[in-house]
Amino acid sequence: MGFNLKDYSSAASVPSSTSQPLYNIPIPSFLSIGQGKNATWLFTTLALVVGLLALEQSVYRYKKRHLPGATWTIPVIGKFADSMKPTMTGYKKQWDSGALSAISVFNIFIVMASSNEFSRKILNSPTYAEPCLVHSAKQILMSDNWLVVFLTGKGHVDYRRGLNILFTKKALGIYFGIQEQIARKHLARWLAVAAKDPSSQPIMMTARHMNMDTSLRVFCGNHIPEHAALEINDKYWAITQSLELVNFPLAFPGTKVWKACQARKVAMYWLELAASRSKAAMATGAEPECMLEQWVRILSDPSYKGKRDFSDREMAMVVFSFLFASQDAMSSGLIYGFQHLADHPEIMAKVVEEQERVRQGNWESPLTLETLEQMTYLNAVVRESMRVKPPVTMVPYRATKAFPITDNYTVPANSMVIPSFFNSLHDPEVYPEPEAFKPERWLDAQGPANQNPKNYLVFGAGPHRCIGLEYANMNIALVLATAVSMMRWEHEITPLSNEVEIIATLFPKDGCRLKLTPRTHT
């Protein structure tokens, strides 16, 4: 409600001793706005602002209730400053405040889950919560791209069941030879660069390139030309950057989101073409040589039960989803694997010994899926590496409706609710000395690590658990096995070397620098 000073001054009684009229009293210029109708707008505006800020605090406190977290939120922006530069230290502080805790960023109410119980409950409650990633995700990844995160319920389950056929042991056997061939090609390039410049080099972007090349060849075979594969690899970095925790959300020309959308269009063009070419190749009766061809062959099998008619665009979206799910997370997992082996020479020695025993001196002979499965110590190294430094520590979800997560607290509808993977993977009761890198913990079938599989949330849980987890494990193990056979490496410690990133896309470009030399076998 506004107040008009003229109305009140005309009705007020003025003492007779006051000989000078009020309006003749000098008033500072900066207060002159208080005279007249402008005062109504000023006071109304101030009242509205104060009222809205008070309402904001009241809503935050009402939603937060008894959860740990700041008693008051910073007006409008909340924890925006912290989200601009997230750190593991900051998140650990938040997680340590309680199994559930609350924060607010730009009036988005967020409930953080730190315990294994609540994290798994979020991941396994599709009725109440769905993955939401970041605000711009649907623009970049396409809102009708059901596989990534945008389909839930029975439809999502049915689609995933149909795609499980792409990750059977038979299918993985087809991919294996492609993976090893690409790994050898890229590692040979790394050694060639090292021969010209023996100083240590950052490996993030080169590892990402190898991973993208591997993925495109496994998924699409030779149906994508080399120049197109290079273009997709180069432009995909724009997609990575656009999915940071905080970004301008609208796709205006020149913004990260706009660049990401342009990169996605390029990738989708080539992926649709690859799907079309795969169908043509299988129509000739050829044997499958990549994932798309294997998929087409399965769909044409008379005994197959399920959806058979997939358009080129639908198949391309599946492949694009697989690229999204694997590119940065698997690249980071691979980089951490190199780093852990370099930082623990005694473990590296055991890996080399196992390679010598399993390969029986045939260092140049191609490996097989069965041979890789015999490398139990190497597979334990991969498993432990991703536990100590998980490629992804959390995945944002959105409460689609009021979510009664405990008996005495309900997450409000449309709030963000974020399960943490890190605490589950560093639970001292399940993983004694949780910060220590100990692959041996996975060799004891009766040990706490193997007896508590629910804690191993590297690949998530529930209906959106990573569909390609066996493929990812196989690829990282294969690359490390191939690297051990071809070269030695040393890790140059940098200030960023021991950072555990919040999400894979934030892995520092110079966080892992390696010095490479060829390995000779006697």
Side-chain angles (χ1 to χ4, degrees), residues 116 383-384 387 423-434 438-457:
N116 183 260
R383 194 168 177 83
E384 178 72 349
R387 182 198 69 81
N423 282 6
S424 294
L425 294 165
H426 288 75
D427 185 341
E429 293 185 8
V430 178
Y431 310 107
E433 298 181 74
K438 292 185 174 183
E440 286 77 11
R441 72 173 85 240
W442 298 103
L443 301 179
D444 180 4
Q446 302 305 314
N450 284 309
Q451 290 296 307
N452 292 277
K454 289 185 177 181
N455 274 73
Y456 197 75
L457 293 179

Side-chain angles (χ1 to χ4, degrees), residues 160 167 322 330 459 465-474:
R160 281 179 63 98
F167 296 99
F322 288 163
M330 195 155 66
F459 296 100
R465 186 174 186 235
C466 178
I467 192 173
L469 63 92
E470 292 178 344
Y471 168 79
N473 279 328
M474 179 178 76

Side-chain angles (χ1 to χ4, degrees), residues 368-381:
T368 63
L369 184 57
E370 290 70 25
T371 306
L372 188 68
E373 290 174 346
Q374 296 174 35
M375 300 174 182
T376 54
Y377 192 74
L378 174 61
N379 285 298
V381 166

Side-chain angles (χ1 to χ4, degrees), residues 92-167:
K92 282 183 177 179
K93 183 178 179 180
Q94 184 75 28
W95 294 329
D96 290 344
S97 68
L100 294 174
S101 59
I103 62 172
S104 177
V105 178
F106 277 124
N107 285 312
I108 299 174
F109 184 72
I110 303 170
V111 174
M112 306 285 289
S114 63
S115 70
N116 183 260
E117 174 192 358
F118 290 133
S119 293
R120 290 187 63 85
K121 189 166 186 177
I122 296 166
L123 296 168
N124 286 282
S125 299
T127 303
Y128 292 104
E130 64 181 12
C132 64
L133 296 179
V134 296
H135 181 79
S136 57
K138 287 190 177 183
Q139 296 180 73
I140 299 165
L141 303 176
M142 298 167 291
S143 59
D144 59 339
N145 193 345
W146 46 266
L147 178 65
V148 183
V149 291
F150 309 132
L151 183 68
T152 58
K154 185 178 183 300
H156 178 253
V157 172
D158 290 342
Y159 268 122
R160 281 179 63 98
R161 186 182 295 117
L163 294 179
N164 285 334
I165 57 176
L166 302 180
F167 296 99

